[in-house]
């Protein structure tokens, strides 16, 4: 009798253990901040896709704080994750968090932003960020004619490797047009000084980004645009061309330029296809955005995680050097969105429902 009871008890214990193993979080996801619609969107699309794939995962936010990011990684590692998908708050600072995961035998997937300066990154899931910058350049060049057009450059946070890739792409297209006098850069003497150089070193890019950074922050973007406008003489205004690094900062910068009585017309770029910016495009207040289909990025990240869980290696079409190693990656293409194709690219494609917009 006693033995039978013990047997039942140990069987029950095994069942509980089995369930615990089943419920174990296999994939940990760490995103930079809840304060930008971009990353809330990634979370939502991750949760949807994970549910469909039947994978147990947990999403944590770092709230712009590398110490919190590291604590998030430690907590996920202690829960027994096998794969970490992480979009770093600060690409260099996140190396320590990646090392923690790597030491615990966890595969590390850098998501959207590259973690720099460590060998602890197994894979990079990303859009083609150089193409994003080239799309801004192509758009602005397509709207300019003659010589001496006023160009204002803005960039993302210097702690984000993407800010460099976007800038590199934009420079590739804009530099020849600055060198030939089509554009005059009005808000960065460093860019003016380097305008004859087709390819910039990381340090040279950093010197320009240092002058025109928005820190990916709307308030900083607005303040910088207002300071630039205050410093600019009337002839540096009129029709202006603005390379803005993403939708949130583009709206802030666009509002500042729209409020200046000496600015008669502006063209401004963006990226992320945020709902608020799609409305700005419909209303003619933002000229373009770059659609980076987060559904594809999430799908690629989950597929890579599943490959790692199954002991396989995810597909690679190129590598990105992170200052320490060449990280394998398969970048995803991007789409330029303007008033002309906004309905097809955003609504008809199912990216955002029409009910979000007025005047489509
Ligand atoms: C992302 C952009 C985003 C920006 C600010 C970049 O690394 O690629 O999509 O707008 O960070 O969060």
């Amino acid at each position: 009798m006693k033995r039978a009871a013990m047997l039942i008890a140990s069987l029950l214990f095994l069942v509980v253990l089995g369930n615990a193993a089943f419920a174990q979080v296999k994939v940990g996801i760490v995103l930079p901040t809840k304060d930008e619609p971009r990353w809330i969107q990634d979370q939502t699309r991750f949760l949807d896709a994970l549910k469909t794939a039947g994978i147990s995962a947990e999403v944590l936010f770092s709230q712009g704080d590398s110490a919190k990011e590291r604590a998030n990684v430690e907590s996920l590692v202690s829960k027994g994750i096998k794969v970490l998908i992480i979009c770093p708050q600060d690409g260099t600072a996140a190396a320590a968090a990646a090392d923690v995961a790597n030491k615990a035998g966890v595969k590390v997937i850098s998501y959207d932003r590259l973690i720099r300066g460590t060998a602890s990154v197994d894979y990079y899931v990303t859009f083609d960020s150089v193409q994003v910058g080239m799309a801004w350049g192509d758009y602005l060049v397509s709207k300019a004619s003659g010589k001496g057009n006023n160009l204002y450059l803005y960039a993302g946070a210097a702690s984000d490797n993407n800010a460099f890739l976007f800038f590199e792409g934009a420079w590739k297209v804009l530099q020849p047009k600055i060198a030939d006098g089509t554009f005059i850069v009005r808000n960065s003497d460093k860019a003016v000084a380097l305008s004859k150089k087709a390819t910039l070193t990381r340090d040279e890019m950093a010197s320009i980004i240092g002058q025109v950074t928005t820190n990916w922050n709307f308030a900083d973007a607005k303040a910088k645009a207002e300071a630039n406008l205050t410093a600019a003489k009337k002839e540096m205004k009129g029709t202006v061309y603005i390379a803005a690094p993403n939708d949130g900062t583009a709206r802030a910068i666009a509002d500042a330029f729209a409020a200046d009585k000496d600015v008669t017309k502006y063209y401004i770029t963006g990226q992320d296809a945020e709902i608020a910016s799609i409305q700005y495009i419909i209303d003619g207040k933002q000229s373009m955005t770059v659609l980076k289909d987060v559904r594809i990025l999430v799908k690629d990240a989950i597929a890579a995680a599943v490959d790692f869980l199954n002991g396989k290696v995810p597909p690679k079409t190129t590598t990105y050097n992170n200052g320490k190693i060449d990280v394998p990656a398969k970048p995803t293409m991007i789409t330029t969105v303007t008033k002309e194709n906004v309905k097809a690219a955003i609504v008809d494609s199912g990216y955002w429902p029409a009910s979000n917009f007025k005047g489509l």
Side-chain angles (χ1 to χ4, degrees), residues 36 38-39 112-113 160 162 166 216 246 271-272 292:
E36 293 171 35
R38 163 73 214 262
W39 307 113
D112 195 282
R113 298 176 178 171
D160 178 2
N162 284 345
F166 301 144
W216 291 134
N246 75 349
Q271 71 167 307
D272 292 337
K292 306 199 299 185

Side-chain angles (χ1 to χ4, degrees), residues 27 30 56 81 112 145 158 169 192 194 219 221 256 258 264 281 302 314 328 358:
V27 178
V30 177
S56 57
I81 57 162
D112 195 282
S145 59
V192 172
L194 289 162
T264 46
I281 289 177
I302 294 175
K358 288 197 192 79

Side-chain angles (χ1 to χ4, degrees), residues 50-236:
L50 287 162
K51 207 164 147 199
T52 313
I55 297 172
S56 57
E58 188 172 337
V59 183
L60 297 175
F61 283 90
S62 311
Q63 289 312 102
D65 177 352
S66 295
K68 181 158 188 183
E69 179 176 78
R70 186 181 166 146
N72 283 341
V73 170
E74 281 165 353
S75 141
L76 290 165
V77 166
S78 75
K79 287 182 182 170
I81 57 162
K82 301 280 176 278
V83 179
L84 172 68
I85 298 174
I86 173 170
C87 179
Q89 161 56 31
D90 173 314
T92 304
D99 291 347
V100 167
N102 178 265
K103 280 213 183 75
V106 172
K107 291 287 184 192
V108 176
I109 300 175
S110 211
Y111 178 79
D112 195 282
R113 298 176 178 171
L114 187 58
I115 299 176
R116 291 186 56 82
T118 174
S120 301
V121 187
D122 297 285
Y123 194 60
Y124 182 28
V125 171
T126 183
F127 294 103
D128 191 329
S129 296
V130 173
Q131 288 288 336
V132 173
M134 290 178 73
W136 301 338
D138 287 339
Y139 180 83
L140 295 176
V141 168
S142 78
K143 296 295 169 190
S145 59
K147 301 280 177 196
N149 297 287
N150 299 311
L151 178 63
Y152 290 79
L153 300 172
Y154 295 95
S159 58
D160 178 2
N161 190 58
N162 284 345
F164 287 80
L165 299 177
F166 301 144
F167 191 85
E168 182 187 326
W171 190 257
K172 203 178 262 189
V173 179
L174 291 173
Q175 182 275 333
K177 297 288 175 187
I178 301 168
D180 77 5
T182 304
F183 289 116
I184 304 175
V185 179
R186 295 301 195 186
N187 67 333
S188 166
D189 56 10
K190 305 258 189 215
V192 172
L194 289 162
S195 64
K196 295 277 178 274
K197 246 193 121 185
T199 310
L200 301 180
T201 64
R202 196 172 171 94
D203 283 349
E204 286 166 342
M205 278 194 271
S207 74
I208 302 175
I209 292 173
Q211 285 190 320
V212 302
T213 183
T214 60
N215 298 314
W216 291 134
N217 179 295
F218 316 152
D220 287 11
K222 180 171 184 274
K224 185 145 286 178
E226 285 171 352
N228 291 158
L229 285 162
T230 304
K233 296 196 189 82
K234 200 171 172 181
E235 64 269 23
M236 299 176 181

